[in-house]
Amino acid sequence: FIRLSRKAHTVLLQNISIALGIKAVFLALALAGMSSLWMAVFADMGASLIVVFNGLRLVRGLRQRKAAA
């Protein structure tokens, strides 16, 4: 459980960094007048998908450990 919680903590920090990083990029683009609302919406959806798939790595790791046991 400790190993899994440490891995979950790492993935959580990665997900927060990815989401906030993409939002910061589009904030800067919007302030520079180089971004549209639709670009920001698609970027946000893309960030959501990246975060979900990154989190699913934890599930894959659990299945591999169960199969090895």
Side-chain angles (χ1 to χ4, degrees):
F1 287 118
I2 292 172
R3 189 178 324 133
L4 177 62
S5 66
R6 286 184 180 151
K7 184 71 174 170
H9 182 260
T10 302
V11 170
L12 180 67
L13 290 177
Q14 290 171 356
N15 288 344
I16 291 171
S17 299
I18 290 168
L20 290 178
I22 290 175
K23 289 183 188 306
V25 167
F26 272 89
L27 176 64
L29 288 173
L31 291 175
M34 299 171 53
S35 173
S36 69
L37 178 62
W38 286 108
M39 289 172 63
V41 168
F42 286 126
D44 193 48
M45 284 303 302
S48 297
L49 290 173
I50 291 170
V51 163
V52 167
F53 288 130
N54 192 29
L56 286 174
R57 291 184 313 137
L58 293 172
V59 175
R60 186 181 63 203
L62 282 176
R63 288 183 182 165
Q64 288 176 351
R65 286 193 185 109
K66 283 184 180 179

